[in-house]
């Protein structure tokens, strides 16, 4: 069994930071030791371990958990351009050691067939551990019955869509029935909360008026339809008593709806994504020519973004928002985003960020918006607790998987022009971003997979994670 000692670092958890050395035996954490005791004490431990990682002056944090990715997702007439292989490798480079991806059941298909397909795509291809949520795109008696069996499969959450009519959309009656299953089983209902039918009318009217550039994607997806759908989902969850998790919140008005529900004591949770914390409708979607297509995603980037961003950061600080995922759904510019060059409605929706989430969120620490503990909570510990992985993942404690990131707060990461990232994309939505901080070393179940600027992982190292129910229910 390989033994590793990470010495001299500051171990940060959701509840505090301590100077401690971390001993790893095989794929698990064996213990946290008082700094300095290791070389002299415990029988010369430092001499006897196989590997010593010097983390002096650095943070030692649990590996990032990104609970919202779409590797190789068939969507928008094409498929997301990161495979499980390329996407999980890029995630590792950025300090993420677990993803939870979305298996899909479409209308007319069987739920378990969709899940089996995603297993086939992921199995043997991932660099890091992975789990699945289940998208239910066709709610009927059969899928409602099968959903009850998802916990046996280690899939303890399902996503529904109030958007994308004709693709994944469910109406209120269908949502209500699915939520009743959620209430009965403890499965978390994850909701894409935008009023799709109204948005589609607005989009068609803009297109008819010749307003066809990427900018109008954002104009069509008005914040009112995010607020309205968020409110509706919350009310349906209140009646059914289903736990509810709103995905990719971008509008400050939706944050207010989530906050109000939480203050009433409802089991309502929400995530936001880096794009909504940093990017805007005018500057990004409104970029010259067709460039704005790079930032077409739903929910969209917002106008007067600073107001929304400040509220999102405030929500992240106060707990109104629970965590930050990426909604990683990358499409290349050439041949994919270009599909919509004459009409924004044909641009595949999605942004690639899986490599940058830990770094981008760390900027909130640098800017004084969140503490270093809250950073760890947002990128690792809460995703683990929210989606039934805690104990194994999301914490540096004896017995937990040794998924660990050594993060250098004095390091620097440039997301420069050209291909300086590892995602399988021909561009980056984050080009030009200068990051204070650097992911130095990444361990996945005790194996060093990133060592400075070297990738040491391998396709197939990642294992499927059977998840338990959320820990956020009483
Ligand atoms: O634009 C997005 N968000 N694409 C991925 C699919 C989804 O709705 O999460
Ligand atoms: Zn969505
Ligand atoms: Zn998504």
């Amino acid at each position: 069994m390989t033994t590793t000692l990470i010495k001299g670092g500051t171990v940060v958890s959701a509840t505090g930071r301590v100077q401690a050395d971390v001993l790893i035996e095989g794929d698990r954490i064996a213990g946290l030791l008082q700094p300095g005791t290791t070389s002299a004490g415990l029988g010369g431990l430092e001499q006897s371990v196989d590997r010593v990682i010097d983390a002096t002056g650095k943070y030692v944090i649990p590996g990032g958990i990104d609970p919202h990715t779409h590797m190789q997702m068939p969507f928008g007439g094409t498929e997301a351009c990161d495979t499980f292989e390329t996407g999980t490798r890029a995630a590792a480079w950025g300090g993420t050691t677990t993803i939870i991806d979305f298996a899909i059941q479409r209308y007319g298909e069987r739920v378990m067939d969709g899940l089996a397909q995603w297993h086939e795509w992921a199995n043997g291809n991932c660099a890091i551990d992975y789990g699945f949520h289940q998208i239910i795109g066709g709610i009927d008696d059969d899928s409602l019955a099968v959903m009850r069996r998802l916990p046996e499969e280690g899939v303890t959450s399902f996503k529904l869509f109030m958007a994308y009519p004709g693709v994944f959309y469910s109406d209120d009656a269908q949502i209500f029935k699915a939520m009743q299953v959620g209430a009965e089983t403890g499965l978390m209902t994850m909701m894409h909360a935008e009023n799709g039918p109204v948005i589609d009318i607005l989009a068609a009217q803009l297109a008819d008026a010749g307003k066809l550039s990427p900018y109008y994607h954002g104009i069509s997806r008005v914040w009112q339809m995010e607020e309205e759908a968020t409110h509706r989902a919350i009310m349906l969850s209140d009646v059914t008593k289903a736990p509810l998790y709103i995905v990719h919140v971008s509008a400050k008005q939706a944050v207010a709806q989530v906050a109000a529900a939480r203050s009433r004591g409802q089991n309502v949770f929400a995530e936001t994504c880096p794009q909504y914390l940093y990017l805007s409708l005018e500057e990004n979607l409104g970029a010259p020519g067709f460039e704005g297509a790079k930032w077409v995603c739903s929910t969209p980037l917002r106008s007067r973004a600073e107001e929304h961003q400040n509220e999102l950061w405030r929500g992240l600080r106060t707990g109104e928002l629970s965590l930050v995922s990426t909604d990683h759904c990358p499409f290349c510019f050439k041949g994919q985003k270009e599909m919509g060059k004459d009409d924004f409605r044909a641009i595949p929706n999605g942004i690639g960020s899986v490599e940058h989430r830990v770094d981008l969120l760390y900027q909130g620490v640098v800017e004084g918006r969140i503490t270093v503990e809250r950073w760890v909570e947002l990128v690792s510990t809460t995703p683990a607790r929210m989606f039934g992985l805690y104990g194994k993942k999301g914490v540096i404690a004896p017995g937990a998987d040794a998924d660990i990131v050594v993060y250098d707060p004095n390091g620097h990461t440039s997301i420069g022009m050209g291909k300086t990232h590892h995602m399988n994309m021909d561009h980056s939505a984050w080009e030009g971003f200068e990051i204070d901080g650097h992911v130095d070393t990444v361990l996945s179940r005790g194996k060093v997979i990133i060592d400075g600027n070297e990738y040491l992982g391998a396709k197939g190292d990642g294992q499927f994670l059977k998840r338990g129910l959320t820990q956020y229910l009483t």
Side-chain angles (χ1 to χ4, degrees):
M1 186 191 319
T2 308
T3 50
T4 305
L5 185 69
I6 304 176
K7 66 161 204 173
T10 303
V11 177
V12 186
S13 73
T15 51
R17 65 195 96 161
V18 289
Q19 289 299 125
D21 297 345
V22 182
L23 179 64
I24 297 162
E25 287 176 356
D27 57 4
R28 303 275 181 98
I29 294 164
L32 269 68
L33 309 170
Q34 284 229 329
T37 58
T38 51
S39 38
L42 296 172
L45 178 66
E46 190 173 337
Q47 281 73 45
S48 66
V49 293
D50 299 308
R51 178 177 193 137
V52 176
I53 296 170
D54 185 1
T56 306
K58 299 175 186 172
Y59 293 130
V60 180
I61 65 170
I65 300 172
D66 188 341
H68 187 155
T69 67
H70 301 281
M71 302 305 173
Q72 60 193 79
M73 178 198 198
F75 189 48
T78 179
E79 50 193 58
C81 57
D82 260 319
T83 60
F84 278 95
E85 180 184 352
T86 63
T88 56
R89 188 167 60 216
W93 274 103
T96 286
T97 52
T98 300
I99 60 161
I100 311 180
D101 206 87
F102 288 82
I104 298 179
Q105 174 249 0
R106 282 186 199 73
Y107 182 77
E109 294 174 358
R110 289 194 307 209
V111 175
M112 289 302 172
D113 290 347
L115 184 56
Q117 176 65 80
W118 259 256
H119 272 296
E120 197 183 310
W121 283 338
N123 184 27
N125 287 317
C126 293
I128 55 171
D129 290 352
Y130 62 96
F132 293 130
H133 313 285
Q134 182 69 49
I135 286 175
I136 307 288
I139 297 169
D140 55 22
D141 288 345
D142 182 53
S143 54
L144 288 167
V146 175
M147 281 165 66
R148 293 182 170 82
R149 290 184 8 229
L150 286 174
E152 295 160 33
E153 303 290 327
V155 176
T156 52
S157 39
F158 59 88
K159 183 178 178 190
L160 307 179
F161 290 78
M162 300 166 112
Y164 307 137
V167 186
F168 296 131
Y169 174 79
S170 295
D171 67 24
D172 290 349
Q174 291 172 313
I175 290 169
F176 189 78
K177 285 184 186 170
M179 280 189 175
Q180 286 182 322
V181 175
E184 197 185 297
T185 55
L187 289 165
M188 181 70 80
T189 303
M190 305 173 77
M191 189 62 77
H192 181 132
E194 284 187 296
N195 187 324
V198 169
I199 285 169
D200 278 8
I201 293 169
L202 290 171
Q205 289 171 349
L206 286 164
D208 288 348
K211 295 176 172 173
L212 293 160
S213 71
Y215 175 76
Y216 292 101
H217 169 82
I219 296 297
S220 69
R221 304 187 89 89
V222 291
W223 61 261
Q224 288 92 335
M225 291 301 101
E226 184 183 353
E227 181 183 16
E228 182 276 328
T230 304
H231 178 73
R232 189 155 33 103
I234 287 169
M235 289 297 115
L236 293 170
S237 121
D238 197 23
V239 176
T240 56
K241 302 292 171 238
L244 174 66
Y245 177 99
I246 310 285
V247 295
H248 47 52
V249 170
S250 65
K252 64 179 183 177
Q253 295 84 355
V255 178
Q257 291 295 333
V258 171
R262 290 176 63 75
S263 70
R264 288 193 299 269
Q266 270 188 257
N267 282 316
V268 171
F269 312 94
E271 65 174 26
T272 189
C273 310
Q275 49 270 34
Y276 309 121
L277 295 169
Y278 291 106
L279 307 176
S280 78
L281 192 156
E282 286 82 3
E283 274 182 49
N284 299 100
L285 282 170
F290 186 63
E291 281 291 293
K294 292 177 181 172
W295 295 281
V296 164
C297 63
S298 300
T299 58
L301 306 183
R302 293 291 169 199
S303 179
R304 297 159 68 110
E306 208 178 318
E307 289 172 22
H308 296 281
Q309 290 164 3
N310 285 335
E311 278 305 286
L312 293 169
W313 279 112
R314 196 190 55 73
L316 288 173
R317 196 173 67 248
T318 60
E320 288 167 7
L321 297 176
S322 295
L323 62 87
V324 176
S325 73
T326 56
D327 190 10
H328 179 76
C329 191
F331 297 101
C332 283
F333 195 77
K334 293 235 165 305
Q336 292 195 299
K337 291 288 186 180
E338 278 178 350
M339 291 162 65
K341 66 181 180 341
D342 298 325
D343 183 341
F344 68 85
R345 292 172 296 175
I347 301 170
N349 282 210
I351 288 182
S353 314
V354 76
E355 187 168 343
H356 304 308
R357 185 185 62 121
V358 172
D359 277 332
L360 288 166
L361 255 289
Y362 184 68
Q363 303 319 289
V365 179
V366 173
E367 290 163 13
R369 292 180 184 268
I370 51 171
T371 63
V372 72
E373 290 83 2
R374 185 67 179 148
W375 170 56
V376 167
E377 196 170 23
L378 291 168
V379 300
S380 179
T381 309
T382 300
R385 293 186 62 207
M386 187 66 70
F387 294 111
L389 292 170
Y390 187 77
K392 185 174 171 63
K393 306 288 186 190
V395 63
I396 297 181
D401 282 357
D403 290 3
I404 295 179
V405 175
V406 178
Y407 195 83
D408 183 359
N410 299 310
H412 190 84
T413 307
S414 289
I415 310 175
M417 307 303 281
K419 189 144 171 34
T420 57
H421 61 82
H422 303 86
M423 298 175 287
N424 188 33
M425 301 171 69
D426 60 1
H427 70 280
S428 168
W430 301 100
E431 234 162 55
F433 269 67
E434 296 293 334
I435 303 292
D436 288 329
H438 187 259
V439 173
D440 272 11
T441 311
V442 180
L443 291 92
S444 169
R445 274 184 286 101
K447 174 177 171 179
V448 176
I449 56 171
I450 300 292
D451 186 8
N453 290 321
E454 205 181 346
Y455 176 70
L456 302 172
K459 138 183 180 165
D461 278 355
Q463 294 176 356
F464 174 65
L465 297 164
K466 280 193 155 198
R467 297 183 293 114
L469 295 175
T470 180
Q471 286 193 350
Y472 278 89
L473 298 183
T474 44

